[in-house]
Amino acid sequence: MKTILLVPTGESVGLASACLGLIYALDCQGIKAGFLKPFAQEPHATTDRTTALYRHLFNNETVEPISHATVTRRLSRDENDELLEDAVRLHRDIAKKHDLIIVEGLVPNSHNSFASELNAALAKALDAKVVIVSTADIQNPKATAEKIEAQIRNFGGTNNERTAGVLFMRTKGLPADSAQVPVTIDPSLRLISDINTFSVELQKQNTHIGSASFPIIGLVPFSNTLSVPRMSDLVAHISAHWINEGDAQQRRVLHSSLIASNIEHELHKFVAGELIVSASDRIDVLLASSLASSNGIPLAGLILTEHHHPNEQVLDFCQTAIKQGLPIAHTPLSTFEAAQELANLSNEIPIDDTERADQVTRFVSSHIDPEWITQLINGSYQSRLSPSAFRHELVQKSIAAKKRIVLPEGDEPRTVQAAAICQARGIAQCVLLAKPEAVIEVAKARGIELPYDLEIIDPDLIRDNYVEKMVELRKGKINELQAREQLQDTVVLGTMMLTLNQVDGLVSGAVHTTANTVRPAFQLIKTAPEYSLVSSVFFMLLPDEVYVYGDCAINPDPDAEQLAEIAIQSADSAKAFGIDPRIAMISYSTGTSGAGAEVEKVAKATEIARQRRPDLLIDGPLQYDAASVESVGRSKAPDSKVAGRANVFIFPDLNTGNTTYKAVQRSANVVSVGPMLQGLNKPVNDLSRGALVDDIVFTIALTAIQAEQQATQ
């Protein structure tokens, strides 16, 4: 059992973010760490923030902390030992399922004057290694060192064997471009040079800080981007009421502006992420906000102040903006009072702001020293391919592949943002098919920074280059006029680019249907020589490991031969992404316990797949529970090497596969990546029309890896 206690030097150091970031870094190494917050921080809080966010981010259970009232009551009665026994009991509950536990200590504040003393006692009671969490200022190493020294004295000093190092959060004085938010953990973002320089300066104050015995585990920059609240958080804070809530849960306030002078002097303030605060009788402000929103500029929202309710007739003029989700709220506070209240909003991540928590977690984890993690693990833990590790490997493999991916929906806002991320992070060389001016307009409206080397190709300038070749490829099926007409569709145009090896892969579907994305691939690219069909898989990111589901999107009712081929394709896809495949051929019956045409089809498919690929672990027919639950597998198929341990699930038909993946995805709140098409000569992948930016990024990464795999075969 190994326990790491994170102890803050004071308030607002980012303690919760540090805990979650460390857990995520461990998760990316395949280590599922438990989490414990033994003592509640606030007197009246009904739900602990870090505990709630841990449950959501890692889909894992933990215990509730001991209430603040209980803590203070026990301490007032000199029942310190009994209180620590309670904490140990909670720790033991988590230890039943985890070999490594991250513990969040108490923050010393006006409610918790006993925090430092209790943290020191807790470290002994849990036999925990201690990591000090502190803010830092690169320009003021003396003050930083003093904060560390003041806290570390409680644990025997920096050279004590219990102290494991220091994690600096919200560090000031670092370059502005150091605060990049990665799509998954990205150790390349670590500021190694800055850490070394800062260590030298700190050691002038204390020779142990930054040394091998008390290392700097991470130097996390301060990020304005990750400190931004949602519009809904601000409105709740000032107790305003909604005129139109719109997208308040999603829109973030990057900056705010008080509009006091004539509107003609304030128009430059109407930009993406801007909160506009103005008196409710300023009709010009309301109309300007509406016009900006209608022009595609996603303002954070509008807060109208003073006692007057905004004019209903004016609001009627704003219906277009309202329908596009512009949040509008009203408060009776004066403009000045509202601004003061907004400035006092806490920087802590709200319990329900899981998007921000996820970003912060990835950001912090990227700055934690992976060598320190390796030493912490010390080969004593059985690694697994966790969802976090899968996403990390996905990005790293795509960066190494260096592939060129065409995006036919080139001016779609989510696609533009995903392309910018992939280009900036080296995930892929993205090619947007769109009018350059349209892409620039989308980027400007949404505050997206387009990398200088992002490729934007105007379809009108290249379309004629593909007419003749397309007629040749579809000889006897289309003429020149028909080819020219079909090439108006950028998906067809992008598919032609892929066919002619001008790009390595294609991703579409944010606005196109699956049929529109896949049909040109069937017509022009066709299946790989070793396969007779195209199928699909979803990567299901379950809490403890990644499953592969196939086929859930393409083949309605495959026969035994086709089902065997889907199994082989899916196994090879699993291997390509670091999953050692154990393939279960799913049916309503296990082994010979049932009969019927459908069971026989699965049994025959299993035999065909085994004959074609004796190197693969394949078994079937297996019921889903027999395939996935170890105890059931032992009972129903005791001699099977797959039962109870399967990670690749092949469904007998599309009805079963699609229903199962959606049921698991929605009911268990499981992230699914896909569908990824397999069996084509070149990689083409479809998006859900509700895809988030991150979904598109990961699909681009998938496509790049597929391209690399096909190139090396």
Side-chain angles (χ1 to χ4, degrees):
M1 168 57 60
K2 189 165 286 186
T3 302
I4 308 295
L5 172 65
L6 274 67
V7 176
T9 55
E11 294 185 87
S12 302
V13 301
L15 180 63
S17 300
C19 289
L20 296 172
L22 180 53
I23 294 168
Y24 186 80
L26 287 161
D27 202 42
C28 288
Q29 296 267 8
I31 307 302
K32 193 177 183 78
F35 172 74
L36 170 65
K37 186 168 182 177
F39 310 123
Q41 183 67 39
E42 298 297 330
H44 306 297
T46 54
T47 306
D48 179 67
R49 274 190 326 110
T50 322
T51 302
L53 290 170
Y54 168 79
R55 284 175 173 145
H56 171 82
L57 292 173
F58 302 99
N59 205 1
N60 200 12
E61 270 306 313
T62 185
V63 295
E64 289 295 324
I66 301 164
S67 72
H68 192 272
T70 301
V71 173
T72 52
R73 185 177 65 252
R74 281 197 175 273
L75 292 175
S76 67
R77 296 175 179 175
D78 287 329
E79 296 175 352
N80 299 41
D81 291 342
E82 290 83 353
L83 179 61
L84 290 169
E85 286 171 16
D86 290 343
V88 170
R89 189 159 46 251
L90 295 179
H91 180 268
R92 295 293 183 267
D93 284 345
I94 298 172
K96 292 173 184 175
K97 294 183 178 179
H98 302 279
D99 294 325
L100 195 156
I101 301 173
I102 303 301
V103 180
E104 181 180 328
L106 272 173
V107 179
N109 57 21
S110 57
H111 305 303
N112 303 313
S113 57
F114 47 79
S116 294
E117 185 179 342
L118 189 55
N119 284 336
L122 183 66
K124 291 178 182 177
L126 302 181
D127 191 24
K129 295 285 187 180
V130 175
V131 171
I132 302 298
V133 181
S134 175
T135 53
D137 186 345
I138 298 296
Q139 306 303 323
N140 195 347
K142 185 173 185 292
T144 303
E146 285 173 351
K147 284 191 289 187
I148 303 300
E149 288 171 340
Q151 184 57 254
I152 206 71
R153 287 192 197 103
N154 298 303
F155 304 94
T158 51
N159 58 350
N160 188 285
E161 63 177 14
R162 189 174 297 284
T163 54
V166 59
L167 176 57
F168 289 119
M169 302 285 291
R170 299 177 179 173
T171 306
K172 296 179 180 178
L174 293 169
D177 61 355
S178 65
Q180 297 180 48
V181 182
V183 294
T184 180
I185 188 171
D186 185 357
S188 69
L189 296 180
R190 282 191 70 234
L191 306 170
I192 297 172
S193 174
D194 294 281
I195 291 172
N196 292 337
T197 302
F198 195 41
S199 294
V200 170
E201 294 302 314
L202 288 170
Q203 286 172 16
K204 293 176 181 177
Q205 313 298 323
N206 185 309
T207 55
H208 293 286
I209 301 177
S211 67
S213 61
F214 190 73
I216 296 176
I217 294 165
L219 189 69
V220 183
F222 176 80
S223 170
N224 283 319
T225 307
L226 295 174
S227 301
V228 294
R230 299 164 298 182
M231 184 67 185
S232 56
D233 301 325
L234 292 181
V235 169
H237 180 65
I238 63 172
S239 302
H241 72 269
W242 289 112
I243 295 171
N244 180 56
E245 186 170 359
D247 297 332
Q249 290 285 344
Q250 289 81 44
R251 298 201 186 190
R252 297 194 177 271
V253 181
L254 301 179
H255 20 72
S256 59
S257 293
L258 302 180
I259 305 294
S261 60
N262 291 337
I263 196 68
E264 62 184 304
H265 303 304
E266 306 278 14
L267 291 176
H268 64 283
K269 296 178 178 177
F270 292 80
V271 295
E274 193 80 23
L275 170 66
I276 303 295
V277 183
S278 182
S280 55
D281 59 358
R282 288 291 302 271
I283 293 172
D284 54 341
V285 174
L286 188 55
L287 292 175
S289 300
S290 176
L291 184 60
S293 187
S294 300
N295 285 339
I297 299 173
L299 297 173
L302 179 60
I303 291 181
L304 302 172
T305 62
E306 313 291 350
H307 291 284
H308 305 287
H309 194 273
N311 188 294
E312 291 293 339
Q313 288 179 306
V314 177
L315 288 173
D316 287 341
F317 275 100
C318 301
Q319 284 306 304
T320 302
I322 286 171
K323 288 176 182 176
Q324 291 176 343
L326 176 65
I328 307 173
H330 176 251
T331 174
L333 297 173
S334 70
T335 304
F336 179 72
E337 288 169 335
Q340 279 189 315
E341 286 292 320
L342 291 172
N344 292 329
L345 180 68
S346 168
N347 199 39
E348 292 182 339
I349 304 171
I351 288 173
D352 64 336
D353 194 353
T354 52
E355 180 190 16
R356 183 177 163 198
D358 186 52
Q359 290 180 329
V360 169
T361 298
R362 297 195 309 259
F363 178 70
V364 172
S365 67
S366 297
H367 290 278
I368 293 175
D369 185 357
E371 291 183 9
W372 183 84
I373 295 279
T374 302
Q375 290 174 4
L376 177 67
I377 298 168
N378 196 27
S380 57
Y381 300 92
Q382 185 176 357
S383 185
R384 76 199 203 290
L385 186 64
S386 67
S388 304
F390 174 78
R391 287 191 289 257
H392 172 58
E393 288 298 316
L394 198 64
V395 169
Q396 294 308 303
K397 285 180 178 178
S398 65
I399 291 171
K402 300 185 184 325
K403 297 300 179 183
R404 192 166 183 246
I405 307 298
V406 65
L407 306 171
E409 301 160 327
D411 57 2
E412 196 279 321
R414 291 164 297 165
T415 303
V416 173
Q417 190 170 350
I421 291 170
C422 287
Q423 194 70 36
R425 306 285 157 75
I427 293 169
Q429 171 68 51
C430 292
V431 181
L432 295 173
L433 289 183
K435 295 283 186 185
E437 57 270 25
V439 176
I440 291 167
E441 190 65 32
V442 167
K444 183 180 176 183
R446 295 182 174 263
I448 302 168
E449 186 176 343
L450 297 176
Y452 74 93
D453 54 349
L454 178 62
E455 217 175 329
I456 307 169
I457 298 178
D458 185 342
D460 292 342
L461 300 180
I462 65 168
R463 191 173 283 113
D464 289 347
N465 301 339
Y466 299 94
V467 175
E468 185 179 341
K469 190 63 179 176
M470 188 170 174
V471 173
E472 183 184 329
L473 285 169
R474 303 206 67 205
K475 194 171 182 179
K477 295 179 180 177
I478 61 170
N479 56 33
E480 184 179 324
L481 185 63
Q482 291 169 319
R484 201 175 291 279
E485 184 181 345
Q486 289 184 25
L487 284 164
Q488 295 295 319
D489 184 343
T490 52
V491 176
V492 177
L493 182 59
T495 306
M496 279 299 301
M497 295 173 70
L498 180 57
T499 305
L500 299 178
N501 298 320
Q502 295 171 349
V503 293
D504 301 301
L506 180 147
V507 173
S508 181
V511 291
H512 288 82
T513 64
T514 296
N516 286 342
T517 296
V518 174
R519 189 184 302 110
F522 286 165
Q523 294 172 343
L524 298 166
I525 294 172
K526 303 180 180 174
T527 56
E530 66 269 30
Y531 296 127
S532 64
L533 84 168
V534 174
S535 66
S536 72
V537 289
F538 281 90
F539 295 93
M540 307 297 290
L541 277 52
L542 276 74
D544 291 321
E545 73 177 303
V546 179
Y547 282 175
V548 177
Y549 283 6
D551 173 8
C552 305
I554 302 295
N555 297 285
D557 190 16
D559 60 26
E561 285 277 354
Q562 292 171 325
L563 198 58
E565 190 163 308
I566 291 168
I568 292 168
Q569 289 178 350
S570 302
D572 288 339
S573 291
K575 281 184 177 179
F577 293 92
I579 300 168
D580 186 18
R582 298 182 293 277
I583 307 135
M585 308 295 283
I586 300 299
S587 175
Y588 61 79
S589 172
T590 295
T592 57
S593 65
E598 289 301 309
V599 179
E600 290 170 9
K601 179 179 82 169
V602 174
K604 186 178 178 182
T606 304
E607 286 306 311
I608 295 169
R610 283 172 172 168
Q611 289 170 12
R612 288 180 58 184
R613 290 289 298 274
D615 59 304
L616 296 174
L617 279 178
I618 306 175
D619 200 3
L622 290 170
Q623 293 163 288
Y624 192 95
D625 58 347
S628 60
V629 180
E630 196 167 345
S631 58
V632 179
R634 282 197 304 268
S635 171
K636 292 188 174 184
D639 299 324
S640 173
K641 294 181 180 179
V642 173
R645 303 175 58 242
N647 53 16
V648 178
F649 297 77
I650 306 303
F651 298 101
D653 53 52
L654 187 58
N655 189 44
T656 308
N658 192 269
T659 301
T660 303
Y661 114 76
K662 286 187 175 176
V664 172
Q665 180 192 41
R666 300 300 179 186
S667 301
N669 195 28
V670 167
V671 174
S672 64
V673 179
M676 186 185 84
L677 301 188
Q678 48 192 18
L680 284 165
N681 262 318
K682 298 178 184 295
V684 172
N685 283 310
D686 181 40
L687 298 165
S688 161
R689 274 167 283 174
L692 302 174
V693 171
D694 279 1
D695 297 332
I696 302 174
V697 169
F698 287 122
T699 304
I700 291 170
L702 276 173
T703 309
I705 295 167
Q706 274 186 295
E708 176 65 14
Q709 185 193 17
Q710 291 183 355
T712 54
Q713 283 178 342

